Amino acid sequence: MLTRRLPGTDLDVSVLGFGCWAVGGLWWGDDVRDGDSIEAIRAALAGGVTLFDTAPLYGHGHADAILARALGPDRQRVVLATKVGVEFGGDAATGTDHARSNLAPDRLRADVEASLRRLRTDVIDLLQVHWPCELGTPLAETMQALGELRTEGKVRHIGLCNYDAAGLTEALEHGPVAALQTPLSVLRRDAERTLLPACRAQGVGVIAYEALCRGLITGRFGSIRPGFPDSDLRARDGRFSGSGYVRAAAYVADFAAAARRLDVPPSALALAWVAHRPGVTATLFGAKRAAQVEQNLAAQRVLRGASARAWTLIDAIADRWTGF
Ligand SMILES: NC(=O)c1ccc[n+]([C@@H]2O[C@H](COP(=O)([O-])OP(=O)(O)OC[C@H]3O[C@@H](n4cnc5c(N)ncnc54)[C@H](OP(=O)(O)O)[C@@H]3O)[C@@H](O)[C@H]2O)c1
């Protein structure tokens, strides 16, 4: 497995990281089984993945519990990334729960203590703010509180998710930021405009998420709009409905043909393309089953073996997508 260093840290991470949102079992349909999830995580480990990304939000802590069970003593040889700052309202049982970002210092501390317990670890390698505060806590206060958690040895490095370039610059005025997590895929490229250049300029690593576009780019859905149960967030995701979906499906078919020429699954080509973007340190993928993990890890073959000419062709295919 290829590894890269998060700039300014002692953390080497696998270029492909396992994302634990789906294995949390909430908002990803009715086919998430803990046994399959554990096998998927073990397959990732066996394939050389050393970056695992989770969050208190994912299954309201269930993803953390599954991750800790699946890793066991192998926790010592991986980089555990999790998040802070989300609180829940409503009712998870009826699916009417909603989450909002509360970055008050006491909230952050409580999140970290609970995460350490669920993850069965003494220290979080990378603690990321899940998204910007919705309750008015100044970023300076948040960064100070995160710095204190670092000083106490509960956290090794601080990261941000879903901040724009201006938010990142403001955060850096108050303390080091090791990584910024942002959506990036062949179907969603806004981060390339200002965020990735800002991260490179300021020596901040980039962890890309949703590189598979929630499964859309894998080609598994075909040309007919997929039906998802209400328990699957993709039932309410505009990219899976209407004329945008029809255009995306045609594009995905082209993309799959390019992947076939390289002898890899479309998911692998999609992950490799993201991992190859300048400034990207690691690319996350979600997976519910070991077979998906194995397909996704074939991205390494592209990253190691594609010639300059092949990359020109891959980039040309990526450039053909004009947006939803
Ligand atoms: N910081 C943030 O705000 C944030 C936000 C989103 C995600 N993330 C992180 O990034 C990770 C990845 O993002 P994501 O899980 O939202 O989306 P994703 O990786 O784009 O899509 C994951 C889904 O794609 C399907 N899939 C995976 N491999 C496949 C394969 N080989 N063939 C066919 N389908 C496949 C699976 O769902 P089905 O089998 O049901 O189709 C899987 O759950 C998350 O788990 C999380 O750790 C962070």
Side-chain angles (χ1 to χ4, degrees), residues 60-74:
H60 293 199
H62 189 63
D64 292 356
I66 290 296
L67 181 59
R69 252 174 78 191
L71 290 178
D74 287 321

Side-chain angles (χ1 to χ4, degrees), residues 18-22 28 31 53-54 58 83 129-131 161-162 181-182 208-216 218 220-221 228 232 234 265 267 271 284-289 291-293 295-296:
F18 187 98
C20 293
W21 191 4
W28 278 91
D31 62 344
D53 178 75
T54 183
Y58 301 164
K83 313 195 183 79
V129 174
H130 206 147
W131 65 84
C161 310
N162 305 308
Q181 209 180 107
T182 184
Y209 73 74
E210 230 185 60
L212 301 177
C213 202
R214 295 183 170 169
L216 179 51
T218 68
R220 64 169 282 205
F221 298 117
F228 293 106
D232 192 316
R234 290 170 292 189
S267 64
L271 289 164
L284 301 174
F285 62 85
K288 295 172 174 172
R289 283 170 285 281
Q292 291 177 332
V293 173
Q295 290 190 342
N296 300 346

Side-chain angles (χ1 to χ4, degrees), residues 58-255:
Y58 301 164
H60 293 199
H62 189 63
D64 292 356
I66 290 296
L67 181 59
R69 252 174 78 191
L71 290 178
D74 287 321
R75 185 274 171 266
Q76 298 310 327
R77 58 185 185 92
V78 305
V79 171
L80 266 189
T82 189
K83 313 195 183 79
V84 271
V86 167
E87 63 183 14
F88 307 102
D91 178 7
T94 58
T96 56
D97 57 335
H98 56 268
R100 64 180 179 183
S101 178
N102 177 353
L103 301 184
D106 55 347
R107 171 83 241 170
L108 303 180
R109 183 166 289 278
D111 261 9
V112 166
E113 298 291 356
S115 293
L116 289 169
R117 277 195 299 277
R118 281 192 306 265
L119 289 165
R120 297 192 220 149
T121 188
D122 298 332
V123 62
I124 291 163
D125 300 311
L126 179 65
L127 181 73
Q128 307 154 107
V129 174
H130 206 147
W131 65 84
C133 191
E134 291 163 283
L135 297 177
T137 303
L139 196 47
E141 269 180 40
T142 296
M143 289 298 289
Q144 187 182 335
L146 294 173
E148 284 163 14
L149 289 161
R150 263 190 94 188
T151 308
E152 291 167 30
K154 295 177 195 288
V155 169
R156 294 178 68 200
H157 297 283
I158 306 299
L160 302 174
C161 310
N162 305 308
Y163 279 71
D164 61 13
L168 170 65
T169 304
E170 185 189 344
L172 284 166
E173 285 164 14
H174 305 291
V177 175
L180 194 134
Q181 209 180 107
T182 184
L184 180 62
S185 69
V186 284
L187 298 174
R188 187 173 180 189
R189 298 180 59 170
D190 346 345
E192 287 183 296
R193 275 199 294 277
T194 50
L195 194 56
L196 263 57
C199 288
R200 286 174 81 189
Q202 297 177 101
V204 173
V206 172
I207 300 179
Y209 73 74
E210 230 185 60
L212 301 177
C213 202
R214 295 183 170 169
L216 179 51
I217 197 70
T218 68
R220 64 169 282 205
F221 298 117
S223 58
I224 299 173
R225 186 176 102 72
F228 293 106
D230 262 5
S231 57
D232 192 316
L233 77 172
R234 290 170 292 189
R236 292 168 291 286
D237 182 336
R239 292 171 293 186
F240 288 86
S241 64
S243 59
Y245 180 78
V246 176
R247 280 188 305 107
Y251 173 78
V252 166
D254 263 10
F255 190 83

